[in-house]
Amino acid sequence: GAVAVWMLPAGSFYLSIPYTESLFLLLVVGTLVPTKRRQYEVAGLLAGLSATTRVHGLALVAVPLAACWIDRALAPGPRLARAAAAIALFSAPFVAYMLYLNSVYGSPLAFVSSQQLWDNPSPYPFQALTGFFHFPTRLTVWLHGGFWILYAGLLVRYWRRLPLGGALFWLGVFLVTTELEQFHGTYRYLVPLVPMTVAIANDRREVRDSIVALNIAFGV
């Protein structure tokens, strides 16, 4: 059952094509592992690298920061210092990426302005929810929106079972996926959400199998 959850999400085919999903997934795992080992600075750096692959990676910084902040084995002073170091290391690759965008495209925020190519010049959180009203006859809006609502419900279901950082990362990615003018590609952006995958894999068999079956049907 756990293997099926890992291998059969609706957007898993993106892992086999030259998109950034595979690299992002690697960096998500690379952030979670050192966080678990209390290597918060390393985790912060890897989270920053993930943000250069897609804007969803900005939410990944919550994983090491939250873990560091609630690490009671650290005194308040060292805890604050290590959290600051994690933020600095997280920021370094993303700032370098923005400088690169500025030199090549003339704007450090080119990753935002490029949304004009998808008819979305002014992205903002929860914009996709308006798609239900602006495009009421588009089947894809209801399919992708329904998929998002399902996983929003799963986030509520698993919130208390997840580490705080993992839950905040999940929430951050969910907010980013709503910045489109309509729901689209939701299944794609959920593939690298490792905390979500682990939570589903540890759920009751009937719940886990139902989610796997729905993903297979939606993927087809």
Side-chain angles (χ1 to χ4, degrees):
V3 174
V5 175
W6 280 97
M7 300 301 295
L8 297 175
S12 60
F13 68 91
Y14 279 98
L15 300 175
S16 62
I17 58 179
Y19 274 43
T20 60
E21 267 72 16
S22 297
L23 177 58
F24 185 54
L25 176 59
L26 175 64
L27 291 169
V28 169
V29 174
T31 300
L32 293 172
V33 172
T35 296
K36 188 173 183 180
R37 296 175 178 173
R38 301 176 64 231
Q39 300 170 337
Y40 306 124
E41 298 84 355
V42 174
L45 177 61
L46 292 171
L49 288 171
S50 80
T52 67
T53 71
R54 60 186 53 233
V55 70
H56 305 75
L58 293 173
L60 190 57
V61 70
V63 172
L65 279 185
C68 182
W69 194 254
I70 63 177
D71 188 348
R72 298 308 175 192
L74 294 173
R79 188 189 311 158
L80 181 60
R82 296 192 64 182
I87 292 176
L89 288 167
F90 168 82
S91 302
F94 190 69
V95 169
Y97 175 61
M98 293 177 71
L99 292 174
Y100 167 78
L101 292 177
N102 187 62
S103 66
V104 175
Y105 299 104
S107 171
L109 298 177
F111 62 92
V112 175
S113 59
S114 64
Q115 292 298 312
Q116 295 180 9
L117 299 174
W118 288 271
D119 298 322
N120 189 33
S122 302
Y124 58 87
F126 300 113
Q127 179 180 198
L129 294 174
T130 65
F132 291 122
F133 306 99
H134 293 163
F135 313 104
T137 60
R138 291 186 183 178
L139 179 60
T140 55
V141 171
W142 293 96
L143 286 175
H144 291 261
F147 201 79
W148 184 90
I149 291 172
L150 168 66
Y151 276 86
L154 291 177
L155 174 57
V156 174
R157 176 182 178 86
Y158 299 131
W159 183 264
R160 294 184 179 277
R161 308 183 197 179
L162 293 170
L164 177 60
L168 292 175
F169 169 48
W170 186 344
L171 178 61
V173 170
F174 259 59
L175 290 177
V176 174
T177 62
T178 63
E179 293 185 344
L180 304 173
E181 67 167 358
Q182 59 179 305
F183 281 109
H184 182 72
T186 303
Y187 58 94
R188 169 187 174 186
Y189 303 119
L190 299 183
V191 172
L193 275 177
V194 178
M196 174 195 70
T197 305
V198 173
I200 294 173
N202 290 331
D203 207 333
R204 300 196 312 270
R205 180 175 180 178
E206 59 269 25
V207 175
R208 184 180 65 233
D209 290 352
S210 297
I211 295 171
V212 170
L214 185 144
N215 270 269
I216 293 173
F218 191 87
V220 173

